[in-house]
Amino acid sequence: MNVEVERKFVCDPDIQKKLKDIGAVCIGQRRFQDQYFDSPDFDLTLKDFWLRCREGCWELKCPVPKKTAAIQKDSQAEGLCSRYREITSLPEIKAELTRVMADEKRERDRGVAECDTLDDWLKEMSLGCFAKYTTERCSFSLEEEGEEGAVGVDLDQADFGYCVGEIEILVPDGGDIQAALRRIEKTADKLGLCGDKRVQGKMDVYLQRHSPDHYTKLLAAHIL
Ligand code: V4E
């Protein structure tokens, strides 16, 4: 299981040129639709769990605790980056969600175990789609001498008129997250990204516009 460490950034019009200048290579462009699921009381997202179906592929992003505040102060990247464990196998997603929603769903456990189809299972868990949008993504890869693996940079344009960039590294289970944070910070410097404020993701902007109540609850819970 990988941990995705990622920093979002505001794309300026020169970003593609800057990426090429630092040696990043465009590895493709694609369009995909995402659907995110939660219960009516937002039991998952208020715990920072994000269940998504992207073009038929399921993924659950689970929060990974950050280091202590004292260590965070030493690193700007620690504050600007997010990190989530990504689960993509359906049986593992179901097991994790059953655990996360145990309090809410204990009385239904028997019914959940008996579900044949994914739709039945979602219904039994009271999970419905709360956000749906399409992204046009241009992906870049940056390999550097002396570094293992590549840094990924995605330039996303969502169909509701929001653009955002992401620098990301996939860290294998038990890998060095601090090293990934340092490398992301170095890449951000090379791209001349400045600013110490968290940049809004597609979901922030989508919920702000389409589900202000949900958005307010996530802000109050310090999830967004
Ligand atoms: C984890 C999360 C959400 C799920 C979608 O996350 P994101 O990485 O923004 O989407 P996308 O399309 O780039 O997915 P990928 O292709 O990388 O898998 S929506 C909100 N969150 C929480 C969150 C957070 N708290 N802070 C930051 C910086 N991002 C997301």
Side-chain angles (χ1 to χ4, degrees):
M1 220 172 294
N2 288 322
V3 172
E4 180 194 55
V5 184
E6 158 186 307
R7 171 179 165 160
K8 292 181 168 45
F9 62 90
V10 178
C11 299
D12 70 38
D14 291 337
I15 187 65
Q16 300 231 14
K17 182 180 178 308
K18 284 183 187 165
L19 282 164
K20 281 174 191 148
D21 288 349
I22 68 165
V25 177
C26 180
I27 53 167
Q29 193 158 358
R30 71 181 187 122
R31 178 197 291 259
F32 49 83
Q33 187 188 68
D34 289 333
Q35 286 177 277
Y36 285 88
F37 292 77
D38 203 346
S39 69
D41 293 332
F42 313 124
D43 295 314
L44 290 183
T45 54
L46 285 174
K47 290 179 187 152
D48 208 10
F49 285 80
W50 301 85
L51 175 64
R52 172 177 84 196
C53 182
R54 173 174 291 174
E55 303 291 337
C57 296
W58 288 85
E59 183 178 282
L60 179 66
K61 289 186 197 273
C62 311
V64 175
K66 292 194 174 181
K67 295 266 178 178
T68 63
I71 295 172
Q72 277 186 43
K73 264 203 318 197
D74 291 341
S75 160
Q76 195 188 49
E78 187 80 64
L80 292 175
C81 290
S82 64
R83 58 187 62 191
Y84 288 88
R85 193 163 48 88
E86 297 179 330
I87 309 179
T88 52
S89 122
L90 254 184
E92 284 175 32
I93 289 176
K94 285 180 176 182
E96 183 72 357
L97 290 182
T98 305
R99 191 189 64 73
V100 173
M101 299 175 82
D103 292 342
E104 294 85 2
K105 298 285 171 282
R106 187 160 292 135
E107 72 279 10
R108 296 187 189 173
D109 273 356
R110 239 157 57 96
V112 166
E114 284 162 8
C115 289
D116 284 336
T117 69
L118 186 63
D119 277 353
D120 284 350
W121 185 82
L122 289 170
K123 210 187 285 169
E124 200 61 47
M125 295 288 283
S126 309
L127 294 171
C129 176
F130 69 90
K132 181 171 157 179
Y133 49 79
T134 297
T135 299
E136 186 88 39
R137 169 171 289 177
C138 197
S139 298
F140 291 78
S141 174
L142 175 64
E143 311 247 9
E144 293 155 304
E145 231 180 270
E147 298 274 12
E148 211 179 300
V151 178
V153 180
D154 289 332
L155 306 180
D156 283 358
Q157 181 155 16
D159 60 354
F160 50 90
Y162 183 66
C163 293
V164 66
E166 294 173 353
I167 304 172
E168 68 172 46
I169 294 181
L170 287 180
V171 180
D173 215 9
D176 189 345
I177 290 182
Q178 295 305 313
L181 288 167
R182 284 193 295 276
R183 205 169 160 202
I184 288 176
E185 202 167 6
K186 205 173 83 184
T187 307
D189 283 347
K190 281 188 186 176
L191 288 171
L193 301 177
C194 44
D196 52 7
K197 288 212 175 67
R198 182 184 168 275
V199 170
Q200 284 193 309
K202 290 172 287 184
M203 183 62 79
D204 297 61
V205 176
Y206 180 92
L207 291 179
Q208 217 171 352
R209 293 184 192 169
H210 294 91
S211 302
D213 288 354
H214 189 179
Y215 180 69
T216 306
K217 284 185 177 139
L218 290 167
L219 281 187
H222 305 288
I223 303 293
L224 293 180

